[in-house]
């Protein structure tokens, strides 16, 4: 593992992608910054983080034999890895909010953005971006559901120590993907799914209308499976639906 420490950068994901494009990066090169000014999340959302308080970093990893249709397992694996590290820290009420936010109760602790590069029908490499709220105590008023490890567990954490734990656990899960241990990765992800089997309000991102349903799972294509009020099961892709904000 090679670690590149940056004082400030727009996006660690963009930094590693550019670096990989222009040079031969070592597998598991990590870029970590004290201040990320243009952090990105799922569905083009921005990621806000107080400088020097949280973990904002990205991991470059390459693959030998991962087919393009197995891409969802990367999201499953990284989500599982982060879940298990936070579980080891005794974070209460942990869950994975589809597609890959990590929650404590109804409060968001961590966001993940996995970006991949393809060659023919195989995944050549990926950049795994992680934003974890660690020691930040106050959040902007619009971030009503954001929290941190310090707020929840009432103590300060060593950022480098947690980052190393996360990278090691992600390496372990990526090796499971490489060895095609896909079913157990998927099962573990489903086991910890946020709001599963609980009546929930959703927002249709195309029509902007709200509807009620129950999350029944996530299929191997990464689509959310929702049981509607007529008991039918409908699948949604990432940009098609979101959980309504309370």
């Amino acid at each position: 593992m090679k670690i590149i420490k940056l004082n400030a950068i727009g996006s660690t994901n963009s930094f590693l992608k550019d670096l990989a494009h222009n040079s031969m990066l070592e597998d598991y090169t990590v870029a970590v910054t004290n201040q990320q000014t243009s952090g990105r999340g799922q569905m083009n959302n921005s990621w806000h983080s107080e400088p020097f308080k949280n973990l904002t970093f990205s991991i470059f990893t390459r693959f030998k034999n991962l087919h393009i249709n197995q891409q969802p397992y990367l999201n499953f694996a990284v989500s599982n890895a982060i879940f298990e590290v936070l579980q080891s820290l005794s974070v209460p009420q942990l869950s994975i909010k589809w597609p890959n936010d990590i929650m404590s109760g109804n409060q968001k602790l961590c966001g993940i953005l996995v970006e991949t590069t393809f060659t023919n029908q195989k995944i050549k490499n990926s950049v795994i971006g992680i934003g974890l709220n660690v020691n930040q105590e106050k959040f902007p008023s619009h971030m009503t559901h954001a929290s941190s490890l310090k707020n929840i567990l009432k103590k300060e954490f060593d950022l480098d120590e947690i980052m190393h734990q996360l990278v090691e656990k992600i390496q372990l899960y990526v090796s499971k993907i490489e060895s095609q241990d896909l079913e157990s990765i998927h099962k573990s992800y489903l086991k910890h799914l946020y709001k599963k089997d609980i009546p929930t309000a959703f927002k249709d991102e195309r029509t902007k209308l709200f509807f009620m349903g129950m999350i029944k799972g996530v299929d191997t294509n990464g689509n959310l499976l929702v049981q509607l009020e007529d008991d039918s099961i409908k699948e949604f892709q990432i940009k098609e639906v979101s959980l309504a904000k309370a």
Side-chain angles (χ1 to χ4, degrees):
M1 175 174 44
K2 178 182 179 182
I3 298 176
I4 302 170
K5 293 194 174 185
L6 306 160
N7 187 44
I9 194 74
S11 160
T12 53
N13 261 39
S14 297
F15 173 82
L16 278 186
K17 284 167 67 179
D18 291 343
L19 207 58
H21 182 72
N22 296 308
S23 61
M24 188 64 179
L25 269 190
E26 182 181 320
D27 202 12
Y28 286 97
T29 295
V30 177
V32 58
T33 184
N34 295 317
Q35 182 176 1
Q36 186 165 247
T37 57
S38 304
R40 295 177 290 120
Q42 291 285 355
M43 297 176 68
N44 298 316
N45 291 325
S46 58
W47 179 264
H48 301 276
S49 178
E50 186 179 339
F52 300 93
K53 294 285 188 178
N54 304 311
L55 276 173
T56 47
F57 68 102
S58 299
I59 307 164
F60 172 86
T61 184
R62 58 174 53 88
F63 298 92
K64 296 174 184 175
N65 193 32
L66 188 62
H67 197 272
I68 190 171
N69 64 11
Q70 295 173 325
Q71 184 178 2
Y73 290 96
L74 269 174
N75 275 332
F76 301 156
V78 175
S79 300
N80 288 343
I82 296 172
F83 179 97
E84 288 183 13
V85 170
L86 297 187
Q87 189 177 49
S88 73
L89 298 175
S90 300
V91 177
Q93 295 181 278
L94 274 175
S95 63
I96 300 169
K97 182 181 175 183
W98 177 82
N100 49 18
D101 287 341
I102 309 299
M103 310 289 288
S104 173
N106 291 318
Q107 296 177 304
K108 180 175 175 177
L109 290 177
C110 182
I112 303 162
L113 179 64
V114 180
E115 298 182 287
T116 51
T117 301
F118 306 104
T119 300
N120 299 321
Q121 292 297 308
K122 291 189 176 179
I123 297 174
K124 181 182 177 184
N125 55 56
S126 69
V127 175
I128 301 163
I130 296 167
L132 174 64
N133 296 328
V134 182
N135 293 321
Q136 184 169 340
E137 295 179 83
K138 294 181 180 179
F139 293 87
S141 58
H142 67 276
M143 296 174 66
T144 54
H145 291 292
S147 192
S148 67
L149 296 183
K150 185 173 183 180
N151 279 350
I152 291 169
L153 297 175
K154 309 303 180 188
K155 63 180 181 178
E156 193 101 1
F157 289 86
D158 183 287
L159 296 180
D160 284 342
E161 185 178 319
I162 293 178
M163 187 185 74
H164 278 86
Q165 289 179 31
L166 290 170
V167 175
E168 287 174 7
K169 187 67 78 169
I170 287 168
Q171 279 184 285
L172 177 65
Y173 264 98
V174 168
S175 70
K176 287 186 176 186
I177 296 176
E178 295 271 53
S179 63
Q180 296 295 303
D181 188 12
L182 303 179
E183 186 178 351
S184 71
I185 292 171
H186 188 213
K187 279 185 176 179
S188 181
Y189 177 89
L190 294 177
K191 181 181 177 183
H192 306 304
L193 201 55
Y194 178 71
K195 296 283 189 182
K196 189 171 183 287
D197 296 323
I198 297 171
T200 302
F202 296 86
K203 180 182 178 182
D204 186 311
E205 293 295 337
R206 183 179 61 84
T207 65
K208 305 304 179 185
L209 296 175
F210 294 89
F211 64 93
M212 291 298 296
M214 278 197 299
I215 293 173
K216 303 307 290 184
V218 174
D219 66 19
T220 55
N221 294 315
N223 297 327
L224 186 69
L225 303 177
V226 178
Q227 182 177 339
L228 304 178
E229 290 184 288
D230 63 1
D231 288 337
S232 64
I233 303 289
K234 186 171 181 180
E235 63 179 58
F236 295 93
Q237 295 181 358
I238 288 174
K239 295 185 179 181
E240 293 181 335
V241 70
S242 62
L243 274 69
K245 291 181 172 63

